[in-house]
Amino acid sequence: MLQPASVPLAHTEMLDARYTDLDIWPTGTVLEALLESQLGAVAAVKSALPQLEAAITAAVPRLEAGGRLFYVGAGTSGRIGLQDGVELIPTYGWPAVRLVLMLAGGDAALFNPVEGAEDDEAEARRAISAHTPTAQDVVIGVAASGGTPYTCAALETAKEAGSLCIGMSCSPNTRLLNAEYPVLIQTGPEVVAGSTRMKAGTAQKVTLNLLSTTLMIRLGHTWRGQMVDMRIVNAKLVRRAHRMLRHLTGCTQAQAEDALQQANGSIKLAVLLRHGLDVAQARQLLALCGGHLRKALARIAAKTPAEADA
């Protein structure tokens, strides 16, 4: 489809004259050029750190109040967003019911392009409205061009509902950056013009990693640099959980196994059990501390011996 003349060309679609004869360069030179562009994409993220900090600061209270995380996108950007979101479930124990993943074209678009899906604003508004966004929700929209109609329309609808909206674009002066919390990662033209799976995709992946990981840290899903809300879903993660407990509490392998079994696989609960609480007490204390293990352990440490025995 030809781009309407009224729509300015996104920076990610522009041609870079340096690469006009790319197809006849030596293979090693092509690889060096591609690597250089990837390193430049990562470096471009640094200028967005203040914007990310502002977005995270605003998002944390809403998520602490029970809000959901939405990821919205189309094509490559949408798939990168979906990957970032879905990994929060096993890595940080983020509840699946509080995660909404929206990809233009639906599940079919995960493996094949769906014609016209990214241009369908009506479907975007319908799809996000079906989830009834609220003022507690945080909606992240990702688009390399910053002008993808599906993504922009979804964020605008969520904004009307009072949701906190974060718009992530690799091009300046774009519609998506009208979000309450804009995040610009200016990557410029691609080595292969318009191939945003390259520089723009790398920058988006890095930025989403920073955004979601920092959110999980601020929300108490880590302690002492470890994933204490990790879901134990295979043998490798069982071994990791035992190793974490031994490191965090100084217990033996047998004690780690016993605590984790009593805690029904919850590493946080298992740590509190190793500090003398029973399962019910540990659950109550964690709830009182908003799920933050550091705060819970500080309360235990602050108790007098008489209080601890009570």
Side-chain angles (χ1 to χ4, degrees), residues 48 50-60 62-63 68-73 128 137-143 151-152 154-156 158-159 162-169 175-185 207-208 210-212 215:
Q51 296 171 320
L52 283 173
E53 182 179 359
I56 291 164
T57 300
V60 166
R62 301 196 188 206
L63 297 175
R68 294 168 294 175
L69 263 177
F70 286 65
Y71 286 77
V72 185
I128 199 163
D137 294 329
V138 175
V139 183
I140 304 167
V142 190
T151 309
C152 294
L155 253 69
E156 288 163 4
K159 184 178 180 180
S163 301
L164 185 149
C165 294
I166 302 169
M168 189 180 299
S169 170
R175 181 179 171 189
L176 194 58
L177 294 177
N178 291 327
E180 183 181 4
Y181 289 91
V183 178
L184 171 62
I185 325 134
T207 305
L208 285 170
L210 300 183
L211 173 61
S212 60
L215 279 174

Side-chain angles (χ1 to χ4, degrees), residues 52-229:
L52 283 173
E53 182 179 359
I56 291 164
T57 300
V60 166
R62 301 196 188 206
L63 297 175
E64 285 180 330
R68 294 168 294 175
L69 263 177
F70 286 65
Y71 286 77
V72 185
T76 298
S77 298
R79 295 184 193 100
I80 291 171
L82 263 61
Q83 179 190 7
D84 189 81
V86 76
E87 288 177 351
L88 301 180
I89 299 172
T91 307
Y92 296 109
W94 186 255
V97 295
R98 294 176 59 198
L99 180 67
V100 179
L101 305 174
M102 290 179 53
L103 178 65
D107 291 346
L110 282 170
F111 303 102
N112 295 288
V114 177
E115 185 175 356
E118 73 170 47
D119 299 321
D120 195 340
E121 295 198 19
E123 172 57 21
R125 294 184 183 280
R126 185 209 64 77
I128 199 163
S129 295
H131 293 286
T132 318
T134 72
Q136 290 182 337
D137 294 329
V138 175
V139 183
I140 304 167
V142 190
S145 68
T148 304
Y150 179 94
T151 309
C152 294
L155 253 69
E156 288 163 4
T157 302
K159 184 178 180 180
E160 290 166 6
S163 301
L164 185 149
C165 294
I166 302 169
M168 189 180 299
S169 170
C170 294
S171 292
N173 306 314
T174 55
R175 181 179 171 189
L176 194 58
L177 294 177
N178 291 327
E180 183 181 4
Y181 289 91
V183 178
L184 171 62
I185 325 134
Q186 197 162 347
T187 53
E190 300 282 352
V191 174
V192 178
S195 181
T196 53
R197 61 184 289 271
M198 297 299 292
K199 274 203 301 185
T202 296
Q204 289 171 331
K205 172 63 175 166
V206 172
T207 305
L208 285 170
N209 279 166
L210 300 183
L211 173 61
S212 60
T213 302
T214 305
L215 279 174
M216 294 300 108
I217 292 169
R218 291 278 78 86
L219 291 167
H221 295 291
T222 68
W223 181 54
R224 293 178 63 182
Q226 301 204 51
M227 299 176 287
V228 288
D229 270 328

